[in-house]
């Protein structure tokens, strides 16, 4: 059976970008075994032929009703699938799903009936909110950056914007390229609606959210944008931890220097 990507260069390019990011997550050590998820709204690449494709799965329940997603299509990493495999074979390790008219269920339509991530409710809830607010954000990425997760084990770092200030102060690029900082969601059962709701609340003010003792969740204009924000935060965490390993508390940029950055680069915070 031919792939849905055949004859659709724009859609193929988007899936290849997802595969590229999956490779980066694995190479960075952020995607052990089947860890992490990627979900991308690909509705803009869907043509009439795709809309007529039959389901290749039975109807699946999302677990929540999301009216904003009516008629939408998503690429989703498969549950139990490895990022290192998705990087090489994206259509064997993920699937394209169609949200049904009840906005509470979906079917898989291509290329294979690969069951999406167990954290699909979290991802789709965020995507629905992006559509409702007209943000233009199309991608969500969840991954396990080692140093950021390590920092989430220190209780004092979990206060509002404590980690944001530390990470911003390590290197100017972090404040420039992740200008909203890092939100915090206290530990919540992975895959639960509670986690989805808590994440959505934090994403009203942030583009990247730390799930305590678990990982980070980012939204972006596309999958590369979401990855880039996690990447710069991770670099700052490495700098902080390396300084601590050298035996000193890193000085960091001063408040005055960070305010200067905000003015010079016209940043939101």
């Amino acid at each position: 059976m031919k792939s849905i990507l055949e004859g659709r260069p724009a859609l193929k390019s988007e899936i290849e970008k997802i595969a590229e990011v999956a490779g980066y997550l694995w190479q960075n050590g952020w995607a052990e075994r089947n860890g992490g998820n990627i979900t991308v709204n690909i509705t803009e690449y869907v043509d009439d032929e795709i809309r007529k494709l039959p389901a290749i799965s039975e109807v699946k329940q999302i677990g929540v009703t999301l009216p904003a997603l009516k008629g939408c299509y998503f690429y989703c990493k498969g549950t139990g699938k490895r990022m290192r495999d998705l990087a090489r074979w994206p259509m064997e390790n993920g699937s394209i799903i169609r949200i049904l008219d009840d906005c509470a269920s979906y079917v898989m339509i291509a290329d294979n009936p690969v069951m999406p991530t167990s954290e699909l409710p979290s991802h789709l809830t965020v995507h629905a909110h992006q559509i409702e607010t007209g943000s233009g954000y199309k991608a969500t990425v969840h991954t396990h950056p080692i140093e950021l997760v390590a920092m989430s084990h220190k209780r004092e770092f979990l206060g509002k914007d404590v980690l944001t200030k530390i990470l911003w102060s390590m290197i100017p690029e972090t404040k420039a390229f992740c200008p909203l900082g890092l939100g915090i969601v206290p530990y919540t059962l992975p895959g639960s609606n509670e986690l989805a709701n808590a994440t959505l609340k934090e994403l009203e003010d942030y583009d990247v959210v730390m799930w305590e003792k678990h990982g980070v969740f980012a939204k972006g204009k596309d999958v590369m944008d979401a990855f880039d924000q996690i990447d710069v935060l991770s670099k700052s965490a490495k700098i902080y931890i390396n300084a601590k390993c050298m035996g000193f508390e890193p000085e960091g940029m001063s408040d005055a220097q960070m305010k200067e950055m905000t003015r010079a680069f016209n940043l939101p915070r």
Side-chain angles (χ1 to χ4, degrees), residues 144-171:
H144 305 155
I146 299 163
E147 291 83 4
L148 286 170
V149 174
M151 293 181 80
S152 81
H153 284 261
K154 185 175 175 66
R155 182 62 44 196
E156 292 84 351
F157 287 166
L158 299 180
K160 184 173 177 61
D161 286 335
V162 174
L163 262 180
T164 291
K165 185 175 179 181
I166 291 171
L167 297 171
W168 273 352
S169 76
M170 290 298 102
I171 185 171

Side-chain angles (χ1 to χ4, degrees), residues 48-258:
D48 287 342
E49 185 179 347
I50 291 176
R51 292 186 186 93
K52 294 175 183 176
L53 286 175
I56 58 172
S57 73
E58 60 186 23
V59 174
K60 308 285 185 180
Q61 298 302 309
I62 299 171
V64 61
T65 301
L66 300 167
L69 297 188
K70 185 174 181 178
C72 286
Y73 292 75
F74 293 88
Y75 174 88
C76 307
K77 173 184 174 285
T79 188
K81 301 298 184 180
R82 292 164 169 79
M83 285 291 183
R84 62 181 184 265
D85 293 333
L86 191 155
R88 295 177 291 175
W89 308 297
M91 299 308 293
E92 286 76 40
N93 292 278
S95 59
I96 291 176
I97 68 170
R98 173 191 293 137
I99 306 300
L100 299 181
D101 286 348
D102 65 1
C103 303
S105 58
Y106 67 91
V107 292
M108 296 166 234
I109 63 163
D111 276 357
N112 300 289
V114 178
M115 187 69 183
T117 166
S118 62
E119 289 168 346
L120 190 64
S122 299
H123 286 250
L124 291 184
T125 298
V126 171
H127 279 285
H129 189 64
Q130 303 319 304
I131 292 171
E132 290 165 350
T133 59
S135 72
Y137 285 56
K138 300 291 179 64
T140 54
V141 174
H142 166 56
T143 192
H144 305 155
I146 299 163
E147 291 83 4
L148 286 170
V149 174
M151 293 181 80
S152 81
H153 284 261
K154 185 175 175 66
R155 182 62 44 196
E156 292 84 351
F157 287 166
L158 299 180
K160 184 173 177 61
D161 286 335
V162 174
L163 262 180
T164 291
K165 185 175 179 181
I166 291 171
L167 297 171
W168 273 352
S169 76
M170 290 298 102
I171 185 171
E173 278 75 3
T174 301
K175 184 167 175 57
F177 296 117
C178 190
L180 297 181
L182 182 64
I184 302 292
V185 171
Y187 182 82
T188 307
L189 182 68
S192 65
N193 287 337
E194 290 78 12
L195 179 59
N197 292 332
T199 302
L200 184 62
K201 185 175 186 302
E202 285 298 292
L203 287 174
E204 291 177 3
D205 299 317
Y206 304 91
D207 284 342
V208 186
V209 174
M210 169 69 74
W211 290 349
E212 180 190 347
K213 302 183 181 76
H214 182 166
V216 298
F217 186 102
K219 59 183 171 72
K221 300 291 185 183
D222 61 15
V223 69
M224 197 64 73
D225 178 40
F227 168 77
D228 283 343
Q229 294 192 76
I230 301 169
D231 200 27
V232 296
L233 288 167
S234 176
K235 171 61 72 65
S236 280
K238 287 183 173 75
I239 293 169
Y240 178 87
I241 290 172
N242 282 350
K244 295 287 283 186
C245 288
M246 292 166 68
F248 65 91
E249 183 72 26
E251 181 180 273
M253 295 163 58
S254 68
D255 289 345
Q257 288 168 333
M258 287 197 283

